[in-house]
Amino acid sequence: MAGYAATGQSGATAGLGWLSIVRLGLVQASLGSIVVLTTSVLNRVMVVELMLAAVIPGLLVGLHYGVQISRPLWGHGSDRGGRRTPWIVGGILLLALSGTGASATTLLFGDHFWLAMALAIGCFALIGLGIGAAGTSLLALLASRTALHRKPAAATIVWMMMIAGIVVTAIISGAWLDPFSFVRLITVTAIAGAIAFTLTCVAIFNVERNTMPVDGPPAAQRLDFRRSLAATWGDRDARLFTVFVFVSMLAYATQDLILEPFGGLLFGLTPGETTQISGLQHSGILLGMAMVGVLGSLFARKKPLILKAFIFFGCVGSAVALAGLSLSALVAPAWPLKANIFVLGVANGAFAVAAIGAMMMLASGGDGASEGIRMGVWGAAQAVSFGLGGFLGTVAIDVTRALTGDTPLSFAVVFGLEAGLFVVAAAIALLIRTPAHRQPGLPARERVPEPAPSYAIPAE
């Protein structure tokens, strides 16, 4: 096994270098660039230009999250084959084609509504499948090929590049979409998809072939899907992390659709001002991510539990910021709303990217063959919580307003519940044992295996 410490049998190096991590970040940016066109832009076109009920694009976007419950299947598929690249490239191709197809359905809504709906449902389902296949396999590749001390920075780089891809695409496509027409929308989406697919192919070329997993030579998953999923769920820390991802991301997503209405209803902000508030929150998120990436990389060797600390304090900080918003609802407009939302963004960004880094650390499970299905399980938990979060946030506001007849109190209650969810997530995070808890300093393949719980499925 020592022969793999520096190079593999074919001359491949062990672990991704910084350039390779950036190249994989370009793949994530490509994924984000297609998603922003097929969710945000298409959502607006359906509501404004097509004058459809807002629930229609809402259900379609919810469908693309719901379909991602299939992520464990895609992750297990890449585990079985031992190669991630075909799944990543194929997923991006499917995403680009289905995204263009979803845009093309806008031509049919006027005269053939039910045909357009059927086609849109199919396209958004395929969008979810494409995201699941590409995103899960990309994270599995990062998890298995990134050295432990580089994982905080790798998570930060990849996620910040995804955000950059979303921003750049939104700016450029926004300029090209005017003067608006449905044909122009389809053309812009198709061109963006073609660019994203080409960039993915160039960026990922030979990255997997020229590197070896940091814990040793790659191994193919030999368990069938059911047994592999049961083995993953039988791992105490993988199971706890799944619950943590669901609870924390539910709290993270629940405030998404109610924050801007909150600013408008209680603080009298204009649409432009609430948009700026949203931008301020995302600026905080980027700062929080950057902070985790820099400090995590600087201190990862000396303080291997630093990511867990960022997760805990990020969740606690998010809870405190949401508690502040809860209080602000009762005293509005006499509250420093902008500062409060910026702090929420910093805490959100810190915990989110630290959780991704910890996810990469926990993914291998010591066998070098289960990164994909583990990433799939956690990705499915995240997708479901995201899909539920936005919906439940709006429902909770409507229900509490109907019961109390008091808008400020309704927002106070909902933000308070979200703060409580973050406190629960922080408590769960403390129970999760990262690899550093177990046998620090040893590669996964050289650690003494821990006794498997009685409900775990033994390997064949």
Side-chain angles (χ1 to χ4, degrees):
M1 200 63 62
Y4 287 97
T7 60
Q9 290 177 335
S10 61
T13 59
L16 295 169
W18 292 117
L19 178 60
S20 295
I21 291 171
V22 170
R23 288 172 64 183
L24 294 182
L26 288 172
V27 178
Q28 189 78 347
S30 300
L31 191 154
S33 69
I34 304 174
V35 170
V36 72
L37 287 174
T38 54
T39 54
S40 298
V41 176
L42 206 53
N43 173 63
R44 177 247 150 81
V45 168
M46 288 184 173
V47 173
V48 179
E49 276 72 24
L50 290 172
M51 294 184 289
L52 300 176
V55 69
I56 292 176
L59 289 174
L60 291 173
V61 171
L63 173 65
H64 110 281
Y65 279 122
V67 167
Q68 290 182 55
I69 199 171
S70 63
R71 276 178 177 257
L73 283 169
W74 309 124
H76 182 256
S78 66
D79 285 339
R80 289 294 292 264
R83 293 189 65 219
R84 317 287 183 186
T85 301
W87 294 87
I88 295 169
V89 173
I92 294 292
L93 177 60
L94 178 60
L95 181 57
L97 293 175
S98 54
T100 304
S103 295
T105 62
T106 58
L107 292 172
L108 299 174
F109 271 102
D111 299 322
H112 307 282
F113 175 82
W114 290 111
L115 174 61
M117 273 300 299
L119 293 173
I121 288 171
C123 287
F124 271 86
L126 292 175
I127 287 169
L129 295 179
I131 294 171
T136 303
S137 300
L138 179 65
L139 286 175
L141 181 59
L142 273 167
S144 63
R145 308 288 169 114
T146 306
L148 191 67
H149 66 280
R150 287 185 174 179
K151 286 184 177 180
T156 299
I157 289 169
V158 168
W159 246 251
M160 291 185 75
M161 289 184 71
M162 181 183 72
I163 293 173
I166 291 172
V167 171
V168 169
T169 302
I171 292 173
I172 295 177
S173 63
W176 280 95
L177 280 172
D178 290 329
F180 179 80
S181 71
F182 295 123
V183 172
R184 186 180 287 265
L185 171 66
I186 298 166
T187 302
V188 169
T189 306
I191 292 173
I195 293 172
F197 176 70
T198 303
L199 183 59
T200 294
C201 292
V202 172
I204 204 170
F205 180 72
N206 274 346
V207 169
E208 187 173 19
R209 180 179 298 176
N210 291 340
T211 58
M212 296 294 295
V214 292
D215 292 328
Q221 172 65 266
R222 290 181 173 83
L223 297 178
D224 61 30
F225 175 73
R226 183 189 64 81
R227 289 165 62 85
S228 183
L229 183 62
T232 296
W233 193 251
D235 183 297
R236 170 192 178 275
D237 298 303
R239 186 171 63 254
L240 273 175
F241 197 80
T242 305
V243 177
F244 165 78
V245 168
F246 180 82
V247 173
S248 62
M249 291 302 173
L250 184 64
Y252 180 88
T254 300
Q255 50 85 26
D256 241 11
L257 297 182
I258 65 174
L259 201 55
E260 290 196 36
F262 170 69
L265 289 171
L266 300 189
F267 286 81
L269 301 181
T270 66
E273 288 172 333
T274 58
T275 301
Q276 290 174 354
I277 287 289
S278 180
L280 188 64
Q281 182 188 13
H282 283 85
S283 297
I285 289 174
L286 287 175
L287 177 60
M289 288 182 171
M291 180 176 64
V292 171
V294 173
L295 295 180
S297 294
L298 287 176
F299 298 104
R301 291 182 185 274
K302 295 181 180 179
K303 298 184 180 296
L305 298 182
I306 191 169
L307 278 184
K308 186 172 181 178
F310 274 123
I311 293 172
F312 176 77
F313 288 110
C315 287
V316 171
S318 298
V320 171
L322 284 164
L325 289 179
S326 179
L327 178 60
S328 76
L330 303 178
V331 299
W335 189 265
L337 182 63
K338 291 183 179 180
N340 197 150
I341 289 179
F342 182 76
V343 170
L344 176 63
V346 172
N348 282 173
F351 107 80
V353 81
I356 295 161
M359 190 185 298
M360 291 164 60
M361 289 182 177
L362 285 166
S364 67
D367 61 6
S370 58
E371 295 94 342
I373 193 163
R374 286 175 174 237
M375 284 295 185
V377 168
W378 298 327
Q382 177 180 324
V384 171
S385 60
F386 260 72
L388 283 175
F391 174 72
L392 291 179
T394 55
V395 169
I397 287 293
D398 288 341
V399 169
T400 51
R401 288 174 75 180
L403 292 176
T404 66
D406 188 330
T407 297
L409 180 60
S410 299
F411 277 104
V413 168
V414 174
F415 284 134
L417 290 173
E418 291 178 50
L421 283 175
F422 268 119
V423 171
V424 172
I428 296 171
L430 289 178
L431 300 175
I432 301 169
R433 298 172 302 178
T434 63
H437 281 95
R438 296 173 177 176
Q439 297 174 57
L442 290 177
R445 293 176 183 275
E446 296 179 21
R447 297 182 192 126
V448 178
E450 297 181 358
S454 59
Y455 45 76
I457 302 296
E460 291 179 337

